[in-house]
Short mmCIF file of all heavy atoms in Angstrom, two decimals:
data_model
loop_
_atom_site.label_atom_id
_atom_site.label_comp_id
_atom_site.label_asym_id
_atom_site.label_seq_id
_atom_site.Cartn_x
_atom_site.Cartn_y
_atom_site.Cartn_z
N MET D 1 0.84 -1.19 0.00
CA MET D 1 0.00 0.00 0.00
C MET D 1 0.88 1.25 0.00
O MET D 1 1.82 1.36 0.76
CB MET D 1 -0.89 -0.01 1.24
CG MET D 1 -1.82 1.16 1.32
SD MET D 1 -2.89 0.95 2.76
CE MET D 1 -3.99 2.26 2.47
N THR D 2 0.55 2.18 -0.85
CA THR D 2 1.30 3.42 -0.95
C THR D 2 0.87 4.36 0.16
O THR D 2 -0.32 4.61 0.36
CB THR D 2 1.06 4.09 -2.31
OG1 THR D 2 1.43 3.17 -3.33
CG2 THR D 2 1.86 5.35 -2.45
N ARG D 3 1.82 4.90 0.87
CA ARG D 3 1.54 5.86 1.94
C ARG D 3 1.88 7.26 1.46
O ARG D 3 2.81 7.45 0.70
CB ARG D 3 2.35 5.53 3.18
CG ARG D 3 1.95 4.25 3.82
CD ARG D 3 2.71 4.05 5.07
NE ARG D 3 2.34 2.78 5.67
CZ ARG D 3 2.77 2.37 6.83
NH1 ARG D 3 3.59 3.11 7.53
NH2 ARG D 3 2.38 1.22 7.31
N GLY D 4 1.15 8.22 1.99
CA GLY D 4 1.43 9.61 1.64
C GLY D 4 0.26 10.50 1.97
O GLY D 4 -0.64 10.13 2.73
N TYR D 5 0.28 11.69 1.41
CA TYR D 5 -0.77 12.69 1.65
C TYR D 5 -0.88 13.57 0.42
O TYR D 5 -0.03 13.57 -0.46
CB TYR D 5 -0.46 13.51 2.90
CG TYR D 5 0.86 14.25 2.83
CD1 TYR D 5 0.94 15.54 2.32
CD2 TYR D 5 2.04 13.66 3.27
CE1 TYR D 5 2.15 16.22 2.25
CE2 TYR D 5 3.24 14.32 3.21
CZ TYR D 5 3.29 15.60 2.69
OH TYR D 5 4.49 16.26 2.62
N TRP D 6 -1.97 14.34 0.34
CA TRP D 6 -2.18 15.27 -0.76
C TRP D 6 -1.79 16.66 -0.30
O TRP D 6 -2.04 17.04 0.83
CB TRP D 6 -3.65 15.27 -1.19
CG TRP D 6 -4.06 13.98 -1.79
CD1 TRP D 6 -4.00 13.62 -3.11
CD2 TRP D 6 -4.61 12.86 -1.10
NE1 TRP D 6 -4.47 12.34 -3.26
CE2 TRP D 6 -4.84 11.85 -2.04
CE3 TRP D 6 -4.91 12.59 0.24
CZ2 TRP D 6 -5.37 10.62 -1.71
CZ3 TRP D 6 -5.43 11.37 0.58
CH2 TRP D 6 -5.67 10.40 -0.39
N GLU D 7 -1.20 17.43 -1.20
CA GLU D 7 -0.69 18.75 -0.85
C GLU D 7 -1.02 19.73 -1.96
O GLU D 7 -0.99 19.39 -3.14
CB GLU D 7 0.82 18.65 -0.66
CG GLU D 7 1.50 19.96 -0.38
CD GLU D 7 2.99 19.77 -0.18
OE1 GLU D 7 3.40 19.53 0.96
OE2 GLU D 7 3.72 19.84 -1.18
N PHE D 8 -1.32 20.97 -1.55
CA PHE D 8 -1.47 22.06 -2.50
C PHE D 8 -0.79 23.28 -1.91
O PHE D 8 -1.10 23.69 -0.79
CB PHE D 8 -2.94 22.38 -2.78
CG PHE D 8 -3.09 23.46 -3.81
CD1 PHE D 8 -2.91 23.19 -5.15
CD2 PHE D 8 -3.37 24.76 -3.42
CE1 PHE D 8 -3.02 24.20 -6.10
CE2 PHE D 8 -3.48 25.77 -4.36
CZ PHE D 8 -3.29 25.48 -5.70
N ARG D 9 0.14 23.84 -2.66
CA ARG D 9 0.86 25.04 -2.22
C ARG D 9 0.24 26.27 -2.87
O ARG D 9 0.30 26.43 -4.07
CB ARG D 9 2.34 24.92 -2.58
CG ARG D 9 3.01 23.82 -1.82
CD ARG D 9 4.46 23.68 -2.19
NE ARG D 9 5.02 22.54 -1.49
CZ ARG D 9 6.23 22.51 -0.98
NH1 ARG D 9 7.03 23.54 -1.11
NH2 ARG D 9 6.64 21.44 -0.34
N SER D 10 -0.34 27.11 -2.03
CA SER D 10 -0.94 28.35 -2.51
C SER D 10 0.02 29.49 -2.19
O SER D 10 1.01 29.30 -1.49
CB SER D 10 -2.29 28.59 -1.82
OG SER D 10 -2.10 28.96 -0.47
N LYS D 11 -0.31 30.67 -2.67
CA LYS D 11 0.52 31.84 -2.36
C LYS D 11 0.50 32.15 -0.87
O LYS D 11 1.45 32.68 -0.31
CB LYS D 11 0.04 33.05 -3.15
CG LYS D 11 0.30 32.94 -4.63
CD LYS D 11 -0.20 34.15 -5.36
CE LYS D 11 0.04 34.00 -6.85
NZ LYS D 11 -0.48 35.11 -7.61
N GLY D 12 -0.61 31.78 -0.20
CA GLY D 12 -0.75 32.07 1.22
C GLY D 12 -0.20 31.01 2.16
O GLY D 12 -0.08 31.24 3.35
N GLY D 13 0.13 29.83 1.62
CA GLY D 13 0.64 28.75 2.46
C GLY D 13 0.31 27.39 1.88
O GLY D 13 -0.30 27.28 0.82
N THR D 14 0.68 26.35 2.60
CA THR D 14 0.51 24.98 2.12
C THR D 14 -0.65 24.30 2.83
O THR D 14 -0.74 24.30 4.05
CB THR D 14 1.80 24.17 2.35
OG1 THR D 14 2.86 24.81 1.64
CG2 THR D 14 1.65 22.75 1.84
N PHE D 15 -1.53 23.70 2.02
CA PHE D 15 -2.64 22.90 2.52
C PHE D 15 -2.28 21.43 2.32
O PHE D 15 -1.67 21.06 1.32
CB PHE D 15 -3.92 23.21 1.73
CG PHE D 15 -4.48 24.56 2.00
CD1 PHE D 15 -4.06 25.66 1.27
CD2 PHE D 15 -5.45 24.74 2.98
CE1 PHE D 15 -4.59 26.92 1.52
CE2 PHE D 15 -5.98 26.00 3.23
CZ PHE D 15 -5.55 27.09 2.50
N ARG D 16 -2.68 20.59 3.29
CA ARG D 16 -2.44 19.15 3.17
C ARG D 16 -3.67 18.39 3.66
O ARG D 16 -4.33 18.81 4.61
CB ARG D 16 -1.24 18.73 4.02
CG ARG D 16 0.07 19.27 3.53
CD ARG D 16 1.28 18.77 4.31
NE ARG D 16 1.12 18.53 5.73
CZ ARG D 16 1.16 19.45 6.69
NH1 ARG D 16 1.34 20.72 6.37
NH2 ARG D 16 1.04 19.14 7.97
N ILE D 17 -3.94 17.26 2.99
CA ILE D 17 -4.94 16.30 3.45
C ILE D 17 -4.17 15.04 3.76
O ILE D 17 -3.57 14.42 2.88
CB ILE D 17 -6.01 16.05 2.38
CG1 ILE D 17 -6.73 17.34 2.01
CG2 ILE D 17 -7.01 14.99 2.87
CD1 ILE D 17 -7.69 17.22 0.84
N VAL D 18 -4.16 14.67 5.05
CA VAL D 18 -3.31 13.59 5.54
C VAL D 18 -4.16 12.46 6.11
O VAL D 18 -4.89 12.67 7.08
CB VAL D 18 -2.35 14.11 6.63
CG1 VAL D 18 -1.44 13.00 7.12
CG2 VAL D 18 -1.54 15.30 6.13
N PRO D 19 -4.09 11.25 5.51
CA PRO D 19 -4.82 10.12 6.09
C PRO D 19 -4.12 9.62 7.35
O PRO D 19 -2.89 9.55 7.41
CB PRO D 19 -4.78 9.06 4.98
CG PRO D 19 -3.67 9.43 4.09
CD PRO D 19 -3.43 10.91 4.26
N SER D 20 -4.93 9.30 8.38
CA SER D 20 -4.38 8.78 9.63
C SER D 20 -5.47 8.03 10.39
O SER D 20 -6.53 8.61 10.65
CB SER D 20 -3.83 9.93 10.48
OG SER D 20 -3.35 9.46 11.71
N ASN D 21 -5.21 6.78 10.71
CA ASN D 21 -6.14 5.97 11.50
C ASN D 21 -7.55 5.94 10.93
O ASN D 21 -8.53 6.08 11.66
CB ASN D 21 -6.17 6.44 12.95
CG ASN D 21 -4.82 6.31 13.63
OD1 ASN D 21 -4.11 5.33 13.40
ND2 ASN D 21 -4.46 7.28 14.44
N GLY D 22 -7.67 5.80 9.61
CA GLY D 22 -8.98 5.71 8.98
C GLY D 22 -9.70 7.02 8.79
O GLY D 22 -10.84 7.04 8.33
N ARG D 23 -9.07 8.13 9.11
CA ARG D 23 -9.65 9.46 8.94
C ARG D 23 -8.74 10.29 8.04
O ARG D 23 -7.61 9.89 7.76
CB ARG D 23 -9.80 10.17 10.30
CG ARG D 23 -10.63 9.45 11.31
CD ARG D 23 -12.10 9.54 11.08
NE ARG D 23 -12.57 10.93 11.24
CZ ARG D 23 -13.82 11.29 10.98
NH1 ARG D 23 -14.69 10.42 10.58
NH2 ARG D 23 -14.18 12.54 11.14
N PHE D 24 -9.23 11.45 7.62
CA PHE D 24 -8.45 12.36 6.79
C PHE D 24 -8.41 13.71 7.49
O PHE D 24 -9.45 14.31 7.75
CB PHE D 24 -9.07 12.48 5.40
CG PHE D 24 -8.99 11.20 4.64
CD1 PHE D 24 -9.92 10.19 4.84
CD2 PHE D 24 -7.96 10.98 3.74
CE1 PHE D 24 -9.83 8.99 4.15
CE2 PHE D 24 -7.85 9.79 3.05
CZ PHE D 24 -8.80 8.79 3.26
N HIS D 25 -7.21 14.17 7.80
CA HIS D 25 -7.02 15.42 8.53
C HIS D 25 -6.61 16.51 7.54
O HIS D 25 -5.71 16.30 6.72
CB HIS D 25 -5.96 15.26 9.61
CG HIS D 25 -6.35 14.22 10.61
ND1 HIS D 25 -7.00 14.53 11.77
CD2 HIS D 25 -6.22 12.87 10.59
CE1 HIS D 25 -7.25 13.42 12.43
NE2 HIS D 25 -6.78 12.39 11.74
N PHE D 26 -7.28 17.65 7.64
CA PHE D 26 -7.01 18.78 6.75
C PHE D 26 -6.15 19.77 7.50
O PHE D 26 -6.51 20.22 8.59
CB PHE D 26 -8.34 19.43 6.35
CG PHE D 26 -8.25 20.21 5.08
CD1 PHE D 26 -8.90 19.79 3.94
CD2 PHE D 26 -7.51 21.37 5.02
CE1 PHE D 26 -8.81 20.51 2.77
CE2 PHE D 26 -7.41 22.09 3.85
CZ PHE D 26 -8.07 21.65 2.73
N PHE D 27 -5.00 20.10 6.94
CA PHE D 27 -4.06 21.03 7.57
C PHE D 27 -3.85 22.26 6.69
O PHE D 27 -3.80 22.16 5.47
CB PHE D 27 -2.68 20.38 7.75
CG PHE D 27 -2.63 19.33 8.82
CD1 PHE D 27 -2.93 18.01 8.53
CD2 PHE D 27 -2.25 19.67 10.11
CE1 PHE D 27 -2.86 17.04 9.51
CE2 PHE D 27 -2.18 18.71 11.10
CZ PHE D 27 -2.49 17.39 10.80
N PHE D 28 -3.68 23.41 7.33
CA PHE D 28 -3.13 24.59 6.69
C PHE D 28 -1.85 24.88 7.45
O PHE D 28 -1.90 25.14 8.66
CB PHE D 28 -4.06 25.80 6.76
CG PHE D 28 -3.43 27.03 6.20
CD1 PHE D 28 -3.19 27.15 4.85
CD2 PHE D 28 -3.03 28.06 7.03
CE1 PHE D 28 -2.57 28.28 4.32
CE2 PHE D 28 -2.42 29.19 6.53
CZ PHE D 28 -2.19 29.30 5.17
N GLU D 29 -0.73 24.79 6.74
CA GLU D 29 0.58 24.85 7.38
C GLU D 29 0.61 23.78 8.47
O GLU D 29 0.41 22.63 8.18
CB GLU D 29 0.89 26.26 7.89
CG GLU D 29 1.02 27.30 6.78
CD GLU D 29 2.22 27.08 5.85
OE1 GLU D 29 3.24 26.55 6.31
OE2 GLU D 29 2.13 27.44 4.66
N GLU D 30 0.76 24.15 9.73
CA GLU D 30 0.81 23.15 10.82
C GLU D 30 -0.50 23.07 11.61
O GLU D 30 -0.62 22.30 12.55
CB GLU D 30 1.97 23.46 11.77
CG GLU D 30 3.33 23.41 11.09
CD GLU D 30 3.62 22.07 10.43
OE1 GLU D 30 3.32 21.02 11.02
OE2 GLU D 30 4.12 22.08 9.29
N GLU D 31 -1.49 23.88 11.22
CA GLU D 31 -2.76 23.91 11.95
C GLU D 31 -3.73 22.87 11.42
O GLU D 31 -4.06 22.84 10.23
CB GLU D 31 -3.40 25.30 11.83
CG GLU D 31 -4.66 25.43 12.62
CD GLU D 31 -5.26 26.83 12.55
OE1 GLU D 31 -4.62 27.72 11.95
OE2 GLU D 31 -6.35 27.01 13.08
N ASN D 32 -4.21 21.99 12.30
CA ASN D 32 -5.18 20.97 11.93
C ASN D 32 -6.56 21.61 11.88
O ASN D 32 -7.06 22.10 12.89
CB ASN D 32 -5.15 19.83 12.95
CG ASN D 32 -5.97 18.63 12.51
OD1 ASN D 32 -6.86 18.73 11.68
ND2 ASN D 32 -5.66 17.49 13.10
N LEU D 33 -7.18 21.60 10.70
CA LEU D 33 -8.48 22.24 10.53
C LEU D 33 -9.64 21.28 10.76
O LEU D 33 -10.80 21.69 10.71
CB LEU D 33 -8.59 22.84 9.11
CG LEU D 33 -7.52 23.85 8.75
CD1 LEU D 33 -7.73 24.35 7.33
CD2 LEU D 33 -7.50 25.00 9.72
N GLY D 34 -9.34 20.00 10.96
CA GLY D 34 -10.42 19.06 11.24
C GLY D 34 -10.13 17.66 10.74
O GLY D 34 -9.21 17.44 9.96
N SER D 35 -10.96 16.73 11.22
CA SER D 35 -10.85 15.32 10.86
C SER D 35 -12.12 14.92 10.12
O SER D 35 -13.22 15.26 10.57
CB SER D 35 -10.69 14.50 12.15
OG SER D 35 -10.75 13.12 11.87
N TYR D 36 -11.96 14.21 9.02
CA TYR D 36 -13.09 13.88 8.15
C TYR D 36 -13.08 12.41 7.77
O TYR D 36 -12.04 11.76 7.81
CB TYR D 36 -13.02 14.74 6.88
CG TYR D 36 -13.09 16.21 7.18
CD1 TYR D 36 -11.93 16.92 7.48
CD2 TYR D 36 -14.29 16.88 7.20
CE1 TYR D 36 -11.98 18.27 7.78
CE2 TYR D 36 -14.36 18.24 7.50
CZ TYR D 36 -13.20 18.92 7.78
OH TYR D 36 -13.26 20.25 8.08
N HIS D 37 -14.23 11.91 7.32
CA HIS D 37 -14.33 10.51 6.92
C HIS D 37 -13.72 10.23 5.55
O HIS D 37 -13.46 9.08 5.21
CB HIS D 37 -15.79 10.04 6.96
CG HIS D 37 -16.65 10.65 5.90
ND1 HIS D 37 -17.23 11.89 6.04
CD2 HIS D 37 -17.01 10.20 4.69
CE1 HIS D 37 -17.91 12.17 4.94
NE2 HIS D 37 -17.80 11.16 4.11
N SER D 38 -13.47 11.27 4.77
CA SER D 38 -12.85 11.09 3.45
C SER D 38 -12.08 12.35 3.07
O SER D 38 -12.35 13.44 3.59
CB SER D 38 -13.90 10.79 2.37
OG SER D 38 -14.65 11.95 2.07
N ALA D 39 -11.16 12.19 2.12
CA ALA D 39 -10.40 13.34 1.63
C ALA D 39 -11.34 14.32 0.93
O ALA D 39 -11.19 15.54 1.05
CB ALA D 39 -9.30 12.88 0.69
N VAL D 40 -12.31 13.81 0.20
CA VAL D 40 -13.27 14.65 -0.51
C VAL D 40 -14.10 15.47 0.48
O VAL D 40 -14.34 16.66 0.27
CB VAL D 40 -14.16 13.80 -1.43
CG1 VAL D 40 -15.29 14.62 -2.03
CG2 VAL D 40 -13.33 13.15 -2.54
N ALA D 41 -14.52 14.86 1.59
CA ALA D 41 -15.30 15.57 2.60
C ALA D 41 -14.48 16.71 3.20
O ALA D 41 -15.01 17.80 3.45
CB ALA D 41 -15.76 14.62 3.70
N ALA D 42 -13.21 16.48 3.44
CA ALA D 42 -12.34 17.52 3.99
C ALA D 42 -12.27 18.71 3.03
O ALA D 42 -12.43 19.87 3.44
CB ALA D 42 -10.94 16.97 4.24
N LEU D 43 -12.05 18.44 1.77
CA LEU D 43 -11.94 19.50 0.77
C LEU D 43 -13.29 20.21 0.60
O LEU D 43 -13.34 21.44 0.53
CB LEU D 43 -11.45 18.93 -0.56
CG LEU D 43 -11.19 19.92 -1.67
CD1 LEU D 43 -10.18 20.98 -1.22
CD2 LEU D 43 -10.67 19.20 -2.90
N ASN D 44 -14.38 19.45 0.56
CA ASN D 44 -15.71 20.06 0.41
C ASN D 44 -16.04 20.99 1.56
O ASN D 44 -16.67 22.03 1.37
CB ASN D 44 -16.78 18.98 0.28
CG ASN D 44 -16.77 18.31 -1.07
OD1 ASN D 44 -16.21 18.82 -2.03
ND2 ASN D 44 -17.38 17.16 -1.14
N ASP D 45 -15.64 20.62 2.77
CA ASP D 45 -15.90 21.45 3.94
C ASP D 45 -15.21 22.81 3.81
O ASP D 45 -15.80 23.84 4.07
CB ASP D 45 -15.43 20.73 5.20
CG ASP D 45 -16.13 21.21 6.45
OD1 ASP D 45 -17.28 21.69 6.35
OD2 ASP D 45 -15.52 21.12 7.52
N LEU D 46 -13.97 22.80 3.38
CA LEU D 46 -13.23 24.04 3.23
C LEU D 46 -13.79 24.87 2.07
O LEU D 46 -14.06 26.06 2.22
CB LEU D 46 -11.75 23.77 2.99
CG LEU D 46 -10.88 25.02 2.91
CD1 LEU D 46 -10.80 25.70 4.27
CD2 LEU D 46 -9.50 24.69 2.42
N LEU D 47 -14.01 24.24 0.93
CA LEU D 47 -14.49 24.97 -0.24
C LEU D 47 -15.94 25.41 -0.09
O LEU D 47 -16.36 26.38 -0.70
CB LEU D 47 -14.32 24.12 -1.50
CG LEU D 47 -12.87 23.82 -1.87
CD1 LEU D 47 -12.81 22.87 -3.06
CD2 LEU D 47 -12.10 25.09 -2.18
N GLY D 48 -16.70 24.69 0.75
CA GLY D 48 -18.09 25.04 0.97
C GLY D 48 -18.28 26.17 1.96
O GLY D 48 -19.39 26.60 2.23
N GLY D 49 -17.17 26.66 2.53
CA GLY D 49 -17.24 27.79 3.44
C GLY D 49 -17.47 27.42 4.89
O GLY D 49 -17.64 28.28 5.73
N TYR D 50 -17.48 26.11 5.20
CA TYR D 50 -17.71 25.69 6.59
C TYR D 50 -16.46 25.89 7.43
O TYR D 50 -16.54 26.06 8.63
CB TYR D 50 -18.16 24.23 6.63
CG TYR D 50 -19.43 24.03 5.85
CD1 TYR D 50 -19.41 23.38 4.63
CD2 TYR D 50 -20.65 24.51 6.33
CE1 TYR D 50 -20.58 23.20 3.91
CE2 TYR D 50 -21.81 24.35 5.61
CZ TYR D 50 -21.77 23.69 4.39
OH TYR D 50 -22.91 23.54 3.67
N ALA D 51 -15.30 25.82 6.81
CA ALA D 51 -14.03 26.09 7.49
C ALA D 51 -13.35 27.16 6.65
O ALA D 51 -12.77 26.87 5.62
CB ALA D 51 -13.17 24.83 7.56
N TYR D 52 -13.48 28.41 7.02
CA TYR D 52 -13.03 29.51 6.18
C TYR D 52 -11.57 29.88 6.42
O TYR D 52 -11.16 30.08 7.57
CB TYR D 52 -13.89 30.76 6.41
CG TYR D 52 -13.42 31.93 5.61
CD1 TYR D 52 -13.63 31.97 4.24
CD2 TYR D 52 -12.73 32.97 6.20
CE1 TYR D 52 -13.17 33.02 3.48
CE2 TYR D 52 -12.27 34.04 5.45
CZ TYR D 52 -12.49 34.06 4.09
OH TYR D 52 -12.04 35.10 3.35
N TYR D 53 -10.84 29.96 5.34
CA TYR D 53 -9.47 30.47 5.37
C TYR D 53 -9.28 31.35 4.14
O TYR D 53 -9.52 30.89 3.03
CB TYR D 53 -8.45 29.32 5.35
CG TYR D 53 -7.98 28.98 6.73
CD1 TYR D 53 -8.78 28.25 7.59
CD2 TYR D 53 -6.76 29.45 7.20
CE1 TYR D 53 -8.38 27.97 8.87
CE2 TYR D 53 -6.34 29.16 8.49
CZ TYR D 53 -7.17 28.42 9.32
OH TYR D 53 -6.77 28.16 10.59
N PRO D 54 -8.87 32.60 4.30
CA PRO D 54 -8.66 33.46 3.14
C PRO D 54 -7.71 32.86 2.12
O PRO D 54 -7.87 33.03 0.93
CB PRO D 54 -8.09 34.75 3.74
CG PRO D 54 -8.52 34.74 5.15
CD PRO D 54 -8.59 33.29 5.55
N SER D 55 -6.70 32.12 2.59
CA SER D 55 -5.73 31.52 1.68
C SER D 55 -6.32 30.39 0.85
O SER D 55 -5.67 29.89 -0.05
CB SER D 55 -4.54 30.98 2.48
OG SER D 55 -3.93 32.01 3.20
N ALA D 56 -7.54 29.96 1.16
CA ALA D 56 -8.16 28.85 0.46
C ALA D 56 -8.65 29.25 -0.93
O ALA D 56 -8.95 28.38 -1.75
CB ALA D 56 -9.31 28.28 1.28
N ARG D 57 -8.74 30.53 -1.19
CA ARG D 57 -9.16 30.96 -2.53
C ARG D 57 -8.19 30.42 -3.57
O ARG D 57 -6.99 30.50 -3.39
CB ARG D 57 -9.25 32.47 -2.61
CG ARG D 57 -10.51 32.99 -1.93
CD ARG D 57 -10.59 34.48 -2.01
NE ARG D 57 -9.95 34.95 -0.77
CZ ARG D 57 -9.41 36.12 -0.62
NH1 ARG D 57 -9.40 36.98 -1.60
NH2 ARG D 57 -8.86 36.46 0.51
N GLY D 58 -8.74 29.83 -4.61
CA GLY D 58 -7.90 29.30 -5.67
C GLY D 58 -7.51 27.85 -5.49
O GLY D 58 -6.78 27.30 -6.31
N LEU D 59 -8.01 27.20 -4.43
CA LEU D 59 -7.71 25.77 -4.24
C LEU D 59 -8.40 24.96 -5.33
O LEU D 59 -9.53 25.26 -5.70
CB LEU D 59 -8.22 25.28 -2.88
CG LEU D 59 -7.45 25.68 -1.65
CD1 LEU D 59 -8.13 25.13 -0.40
CD2 LEU D 59 -6.03 25.19 -1.71
N PRO D 60 -7.75 23.91 -5.82
CA PRO D 60 -8.41 23.03 -6.79
C PRO D 60 -9.63 22.38 -6.15
O PRO D 60 -9.62 22.03 -4.97
CB PRO D 60 -7.35 21.97 -7.10
CG PRO D 60 -6.06 22.60 -6.72
CD PRO D 60 -6.37 23.52 -5.58
N PHE D 61 -10.69 22.20 -6.92
CA PHE D 61 -11.94 21.65 -6.41
C PHE D 61 -11.93 20.13 -6.31
O PHE D 61 -12.79 19.57 -5.66
CB PHE D 61 -13.11 22.09 -7.30
CG PHE D 61 -13.45 23.53 -7.13
CD1 PHE D 61 -12.98 24.47 -8.01
CD2 PHE D 61 -14.23 23.95 -6.07
CE1 PHE D 61 -13.28 25.81 -7.86
CE2 PHE D 61 -14.55 25.28 -5.89
CZ PHE D 61 -14.07 26.21 -6.79
N GLU D 62 -11.00 19.47 -6.94
CA GLU D 62 -10.95 18.01 -6.93
C GLU D 62 -9.65 17.54 -6.29
O GLU D 62 -8.57 18.06 -6.61
CB GLU D 62 -11.02 17.46 -8.36
CG GLU D 62 -12.29 17.87 -9.10
CD GLU D 62 -13.52 17.19 -8.57
OE1 GLU D 62 -13.41 16.03 -8.10
OE2 GLU D 62 -14.61 17.80 -8.62
N VAL D 63 -9.73 16.55 -5.40
CA VAL D 63 -8.54 16.02 -4.74
C VAL D 63 -7.49 15.55 -5.75
O VAL D 63 -6.30 15.80 -5.56
CB VAL D 63 -8.91 14.91 -3.74
CG1 VAL D 63 -7.67 14.25 -3.15
CG2 VAL D 63 -9.78 15.47 -2.61
N PRO D 64 -7.89 14.87 -6.86
CA PRO D 64 -6.85 14.41 -7.81
C PRO D 64 -6.03 15.55 -8.44
O PRO D 64 -4.97 15.30 -9.00
CB PRO D 64 -7.64 13.67 -8.89
CG PRO D 64 -8.88 13.22 -8.19
CD PRO D 64 -9.19 14.32 -7.19
N GLU D 65 -6.50 16.79 -8.34
CA GLU D 65 -5.73 17.93 -8.87
C GLU D 65 -4.61 18.34 -7.92
O GLU D 65 -3.76 19.13 -8.28
CB GLU D 65 -6.66 19.11 -9.12
CG GLU D 65 -7.67 18.86 -10.22
CD GLU D 65 -8.60 20.04 -10.38
OE1 GLU D 65 -8.13 21.19 -10.37
OE2 GLU D 65 -9.82 19.80 -10.52
N TRP D 66 -4.63 17.82 -6.70
CA TRP D 66 -3.59 18.10 -5.72
C TRP D 66 -2.39 17.20 -6.00
O TRP D 66 -2.50 16.20 -6.68
CB TRP D 66 -4.12 17.84 -4.33
CG TRP D 66 -5.15 18.82 -3.86
CD1 TRP D 66 -6.24 19.25 -4.57
CD2 TRP D 66 -5.21 19.46 -2.61
NE1 TRP D 66 -6.96 20.12 -3.82
CE2 TRP D 66 -6.36 20.26 -2.60
CE3 TRP D 66 -4.42 19.41 -1.48
CZ2 TRP D 66 -6.72 21.04 -1.53
CZ3 TRP D 66 -4.79 20.18 -0.40
CH2 TRP D 66 -5.92 20.99 -0.42
N THR D 67 -1.24 17.53 -5.45
CA THR D 67 -0.03 16.71 -5.60
C THR D 67 -0.04 15.64 -4.52
O THR D 67 -0.22 15.96 -3.34
CB THR D 67 1.22 17.59 -5.45
OG1 THR D 67 1.20 18.61 -6.45
CG2 THR D 67 2.49 16.76 -5.58
N PHE D 68 0.14 14.37 -4.92
CA PHE D 68 0.26 13.30 -3.94
C PHE D 68 1.73 13.15 -3.57
O PHE D 68 2.58 12.96 -4.44
CB PHE D 68 -0.28 11.98 -4.48
CG PHE D 68 -0.33 10.91 -3.43
CD1 PHE D 68 -1.32 10.91 -2.47
CD2 PHE D 68 0.64 9.93 -3.38
CE1 PHE D 68 -1.35 9.93 -1.47
CE2 PHE D 68 0.62 8.95 -2.40
CZ PHE D 68 -0.38 8.94 -1.44
N VAL D 69 2.02 13.26 -2.29
CA VAL D 69 3.39 13.17 -1.78
C VAL D 69 3.55 11.81 -1.10
O VAL D 69 2.88 11.53 -0.11
CB VAL D 69 3.69 14.31 -0.76
CG1 VAL D 69 5.09 14.18 -0.22
CG2 VAL D 69 3.46 15.67 -1.41
N ARG D 70 4.42 10.97 -1.66
CA ARG D 70 4.66 9.63 -1.09
C ARG D 70 5.57 9.73 0.13
O ARG D 70 6.54 10.45 0.12
CB ARG D 70 5.30 8.73 -2.12
CG ARG D 70 4.41 8.41 -3.28
CD ARG D 70 5.14 7.56 -4.32
NE ARG D 70 4.38 7.46 -5.52
CZ ARG D 70 3.59 6.44 -5.82
NH1 ARG D 70 3.48 5.43 -4.99
NH2 ARG D 70 2.91 6.43 -6.94
N THR D 71 5.19 8.97 1.16
CA THR D 71 6.00 8.98 2.38
C THR D 71 6.55 7.59 2.72
O THR D 71 7.22 7.44 3.72
CB THR D 71 5.19 9.49 3.58
OG1 THR D 71 4.05 8.65 3.77
CG2 THR D 71 4.78 10.93 3.39
N GLY D 72 6.24 6.61 1.93
CA GLY D 72 6.77 5.27 2.25
C GLY D 72 6.23 4.18 1.41
O GLY D 72 5.49 4.28 0.53
#
């Protein structure tokens, strides 16, 4: 199984969706913005305005558009 996380580098900082223990954690820089049941749910929450960050403007709407970073 490939391990890793999804990352998007914006002008305002780096966003990451990191799988851990069956959940997906959404980070902006080092701040954990929440735990979700799927990577898509994490992204939808941010893009839907439920977790607002000014730096989120311009984020890709689909997880596959993010860069997958392999960790092992």
Side-chain angles (χ1 to χ4, degrees):
M1 182 175 188
T2 303
R3 293 184 182 185
Y5 59 90
W6 294 270
E7 177 179 271
F8 183 77
R9 294 179 184 219
S10 72
K11 291 180 182 178
T14 301
F15 290 88
R16 293 184 326 279
I17 300 173
V18 181
S20 178
N21 298 321
R23 302 284 294 175
F24 293 82
H25 300 266
F26 202 112
F27 288 88
F28 175 70
E29 295 294 329
E30 299 303 318
E31 183 177 355
N32 189 339
L33 303 179
S35 173
Y36 300 87
H37 70 277
S38 73
V40 172
L43 184 57
N44 285 342
D45 203 27
L46 184 69
L47 294 175
Y50 301 107
Y52 177 72
Y53 264 77
S55 300
R57 283 180 268 156
L59 286 178
F61 288 98
E62 301 289 328
V63 174
E65 294 178 44
W66 290 47
T67 300
F68 187 76
V69 179
R70 293 177 191 263
T71 59

